[in-house]
Amino acid sequence: MAMAKTAHQRYAEIMLDVEGLIKDHIAWQRNDPGSPSKLKLLVPSIGNFFTPLPLHDAFVYQDGQRHISSRRFVPPSFNDVRLILNTAQVLSLVRHGPAELITFDGDVTLYDDGDSLVPENPVVSNILRLLESGVHVGIVTAAGYTKASKYYDRLYGLLDAITEAEDLSAAKKANLVVMGGEANYLYRFSMQAKYCLDMIPRQEWILDEMRSWSQKDIDALLSLAERALRQCMKTLDLDGQMILKERSVGIIPAPGKKFAREQLEETVLVTQRTLDMSSVGRKVPFCAFNGGNDVFVDIGDKSWGVLACQRFFGGIAGSKSLHIGDQFLSAGANDFKARLACTTAWIASPEEPIHLLNEMNELSNSDASSLQLNGGLVQKTRKPGRPKGSTSNATIVQKNEDDNERATRRQSNIKTRFAAEDDMQDLRNDNAVRSKHLGGKLKSTTKQDDATSIDEDEDADADKDEPEDEATSPPSRKRGRPKTDSTSDTIPAQATPAKRGPGRPRKTPISAKNPTASSGAGKNTATPASRPRGRPRKYPLPVADVSAVADEGDVSSADELSDVKDVASPSWYNGKDKGQLNEGLVSKYKASPLKKSKSVE
């Protein structure tokens, strides 16, 4: 449960961030500035949005249906994202006013490829409910027929149901249209027609831009498409036949045969490329698409078909329209262009439109408080053991406030971490400059501070023990220092601090001076005094003190030189006569005093 809760929160935060990018992009669309939006920079191929997308609320809804956050090994899939986008689009249409026009693709959307819409199909009752609520319905299909009987054979289940529906008025029944051949033939439902459909003359519904498509250019484009398709049949050895129509051309497999998917895609891309490079292809819009087991080239595309339906019903806006289809891939898909005309929903089977329309009906009939509460959608599932209907609005409000607070705190922590890393890097750079100025002897302050803090933690946690016999103890070295020979002249064996046992406090810091030792002559053979528990380490000096000595520009005192040497290498003077060292240092450094480096600020 904890893992699912954490995953749900993270997914919801991601969706909320993308939702904000889309809102920013919509504002950019309206203002039309010179610079691109943030989303345009991230996704240069992104198009325009007709409505905001409440992705956060859509994810909460779909997570309750598909349990995305509860999966341990399977991450959110393409289908998860696709359904979340569909739900977000439906939510947006519901919240910003009811949809006025909903258009459907035919094959693989309302019915299986090559089949018909039968009366038993549950989508029929959903479409009747849309018509009853006053929504205009259009079926925008690539199937292009000049006779109404052909469309009746494919849609008889829906047409007969509308005819027999007594609760639908004649005006609401007439809100059903069929756009065939992408954007070439328009039929309207009619009770008086033999096949329930009346063909509308083209000059009554085509757009002004479509009037410039001359028949000569249309014939030239179809002729060029035919040659390209025949060349593909020869190159790929396709066993099929050519189909020539008034406003389209295509190839279908021979009876009992089936084209491979790769063959279909290659044929589409070759034909598309051939037409794009031609002069006539730049004059007349066309659509080359893979129909599942055939390839066709139509005059126009579904963006023109949806726009024509919007104009036919009085100029419905794209933000009030929804097109539902199965082909939204950028290559060889005819529903893809519908995104230019209205909002869209991408489905993968004839069952999904049924769920989508049921979801729209459920959200439309729900109480407003359950749809919008601090911009969030109430999840339909309830906690185990909680009685049904016991979720209070106050609980949901508090949850949303906690989510917002966590998101804000997370962003603040990220900024603080980055600032701390920048400060640490600046400190390392300063220490490198100072170390170079002092002859490379200065060690990193960060490492010293880390070692000191570790020692202090160990001193605070350990119990107070009696001093060990350091003469018989094995030698030890400070964490991070190179090993030294216990018999070395630099660190005599009798002055080496004893190795402490596990969990026992450090008694004698290696780098510390003996505060009781004389600053005069004589070897430092006395054992360094241990510091009381909890007191800070006195040596080595902090970097600020060393830089202050270097900043003076001249080191004229043997004591100052000794201090600098002590900081640069605490073990440098151990076991040596300090007076002898001072004599050599004074003669050397007074003749050539330390100068302030220009690089040290």
Side-chain angles (χ1 to χ4, degrees), residues 467-540:
E468 296 179 341
D469 185 6
E470 298 178 357
T472 60
S473 300
S476 64
R477 59 188 178 92
K478 186 177 180 180
R479 187 181 289 106
R481 286 193 174 189
K483 292 183 179 181
T484 56
D485 188 3
S486 59
T487 60
S488 173
D489 294 336
T490 304
I491 304 179
Q494 64 271 21
T496 303
K499 182 178 181 181
R500 54 192 173 89
R504 302 183 65 180
R506 188 186 299 277
K507 300 298 183 180
T508 56
I510 295 177
S511 60
K513 293 181 181 179
N514 184 0
T516 61
S518 171
S519 60
K523 289 189 177 182
N524 185 10
T525 57
T527 302
S530 61
R531 57 185 172 90
R533 292 176 57 190
R535 291 187 60 184
R537 190 185 302 276
K538 293 185 177 181
Y539 294 92

Side-chain angles (χ1 to χ4, degrees), residues 333-352:
N334 56 358
D335 290 309
F336 179 78
K337 291 293 185 68
R339 302 188 311 165
L340 302 175
C342 65
T343 65
T344 57
W346 188 348
I347 58 92
S349 67
E351 290 76 21
E352 288 190 10

Side-chain angles (χ1 to χ4, degrees), residues 25-26 49 70 156 163 217 230 241 255 313 335 359 419 428 439 451 466 477 480 497 510 547 566 582:
H25 185 76
I26 294 176
F49 289 84
S70 300
Y156 71 92
T163 302
D217 291 337
R230 291 188 183 277
Q241 56 184 350
F313 286 120
D335 290 309
E359 182 179 304
R428 294 191 186 102
E466 293 297 329
R477 59 188 178 92
I510 295 177
S547 62
D566 292 342
N582 290 344

Side-chain angles (χ1 to χ4, degrees), residues 558 561 578-590:
L561 288 171
K578 207 164 191 179
Q580 297 175 359
L581 296 175
N582 290 344
E583 293 177 0
L585 291 173
V586 170
S587 60
K588 178 179 178 180
Y589 286 95
K590 275 196 173 182

Side-chain angles (χ1 to χ4, degrees), residues 167-185:
D167 53 346
L168 285 178
S169 63
K172 289 184 178 180
K173 291 180 179 180
N175 286 337
L176 175 72
V177 296
V178 177
M179 177 66 72
E182 309 284 357
N184 292 294
Y185 311 101

Side-chain angles (χ1 to χ4, degrees), residues 237-299:
D237 194 19
L238 300 178
D239 187 7
Q241 56 184 350
M242 186 71 61
I243 302 296
L244 302 177
K245 295 184 179 183
E246 179 189 8
R247 310 276 283 193
S248 64
V249 60
I251 56 175
I252 61 174
K257 301 293 183 177
K258 188 175 181 179
F259 295 147
R261 179 180 62 86
E262 293 78 9
Q263 293 175 325
L264 294 170
E265 292 182 354
E266 177 69 13
T267 303
V268 168
L269 295 176
V270 169
T271 306
Q272 176 86 32
R273 182 67 172 174
T274 302
L275 297 178
D276 285 338
M277 297 178 62
S278 66
S279 59
V280 67
R282 291 188 287 269
K283 295 179 182 179
V284 179
F286 65 91
C287 177
F289 66 96
N290 171 12
N293 198 28
D294 53 39
V295 175
F296 270 87
V297 177
D298 289 333
I299 299 299

Side-chain angles (χ1 to χ4, degrees), residues 255-538:
K257 301 293 183 177
K258 188 175 181 179
F259 295 147
R261 179 180 62 86
E262 293 78 9
Q263 293 175 325
L264 294 170
E265 292 182 354
E266 177 69 13
T267 303
V268 168
L269 295 176
V270 169
T271 306
Q272 176 86 32
R273 182 67 172 174
T274 302
L275 297 178
D276 285 338
M277 297 178 62
S278 66
S279 59
V280 67
R282 291 188 287 269
K283 295 179 182 179
V284 179
F286 65 91
C287 177
F289 66 96
N290 171 12
N293 198 28
D294 53 39
V295 175
F296 270 87
V297 177
D298 289 333
I299 299 299
D301 54 54
K302 288 195 176 181
S303 65
W304 296 101
V306 174
L307 288 172
C309 292
Q310 293 172 348
R311 180 184 179 276
F312 182 76
F313 286 120
I316 300 176
S319 59
K320 300 292 184 180
S321 307
L322 175 67
H323 178 73
I324 302 174
D326 67 294
Q327 293 196 9
F328 281 95
L329 296 176
S330 58
N334 56 358
D335 290 309
F336 179 78
K337 291 293 185 68
R339 302 188 311 165
L340 302 175
C342 65
T343 65
T344 57
W346 188 348
I347 58 92
S349 67
E351 290 76 21
E352 288 190 10
I354 301 172
H355 300 311
L356 187 67
L357 294 177
N358 289 335
E359 182 179 304
M360 178 181 291
N361 182 63
E362 176 186 359
L363 296 174
S364 300
N365 296 332
S366 300
D367 183 33
S369 62
S370 65
L371 287 176
Q372 294 186 8
L373 184 61
N374 284 358
L377 177 69
V378 178
Q379 194 170 356
K380 302 299 180 183
T381 58
R382 63 181 186 274
K383 295 182 179 180
R386 182 184 292 275
K388 184 177 181 180
S390 62
T391 304
S392 63
N393 291 343
T395 303
I396 301 171
V397 171
Q398 183 62 38
K399 180 180 181 303
N400 291 334
E401 292 178 353
D402 293 343
D403 292 343
N404 295 336
E405 182 181 353
R406 278 194 289 277
T408 303
R409 187 167 59 250
R410 179 186 177 190
Q411 295 177 357
S412 177
N413 291 340
I414 292 175
K415 294 179 180 179
T416 303
R417 185 185 66 188
F418 287 163
E421 291 178 355
D422 292 340
D423 294 342
M424 185 61 67
Q425 185 61 38
D426 293 341
L427 180 59
R428 294 191 186 102
N429 295 338
D430 293 342
N431 288 347
V433 173
R434 293 167 180 162
S435 177
K436 181 178 181 181
H437 178 71
L438 295 175
K441 299 296 184 177
L442 184 61
K443 293 188 177 181
S444 172
T445 304
T446 304
K447 293 183 178 180
Q448 294 177 0
D449 293 342
D450 292 345
T452 303
S453 61
I454 293 173
D455 293 342
E456 292 176 356
D457 292 341
E458 293 174 349
D459 291 345
D461 294 338
D463 295 331
K464 187 174 181 180
D465 298 325
E466 293 297 329
E468 296 179 341
D469 185 6
E470 298 178 357
T472 60
S473 300
S476 64
R477 59 188 178 92
K478 186 177 180 180
R479 187 181 289 106
R481 286 193 174 189
K483 292 183 179 181
T484 56
D485 188 3
S486 59
T487 60
S488 173
D489 294 336
T490 304
I491 304 179
Q494 64 271 21
T496 303
K499 182 178 181 181
R500 54 192 173 89
R504 302 183 65 180
R506 188 186 299 277
K507 300 298 183 180
T508 56
I510 295 177
S511 60
K513 293 181 181 179
N514 184 0
T516 61
S518 171
S519 60
K523 289 189 177 182
N524 185 10
T525 57
T527 302
S530 61
R531 57 185 172 90
R533 292 176 57 190
R535 291 187 60 184
R537 190 185 302 276
K538 293 185 177 181

Side-chain angles (χ1 to χ4, degrees), residues 104-107 111 113-115 139-148 150-155 178-187 197 199 243 245-248 287 289 291 294 296-299 302 327 334-335:
F104 298 87
D105 180 30
D107 293 84
Y111 41 82
D113 190 21
D115 290 347
I139 299 176
V140 183
T141 174
Y145 305 123
T146 58
K147 297 181 180 180
K150 294 287 187 178
Y151 288 109
Y152 179 81
D153 293 340
R154 305 295 297 272
L155 305 171
V178 177
M179 177 66 72
E182 309 284 357
N184 292 294
Y185 311 101
L186 181 63
Y187 293 84
L197 294 172
M199 186 174 185
I243 302 296
K245 295 184 179 183
E246 179 189 8
R247 310 276 283 193
S248 64
C287 177
F289 66 96
D294 53 39
F296 270 87
V297 177
D298 289 333
I299 299 299
K302 288 195 176 181
Q327 293 196 9
N334 56 358
D335 290 309

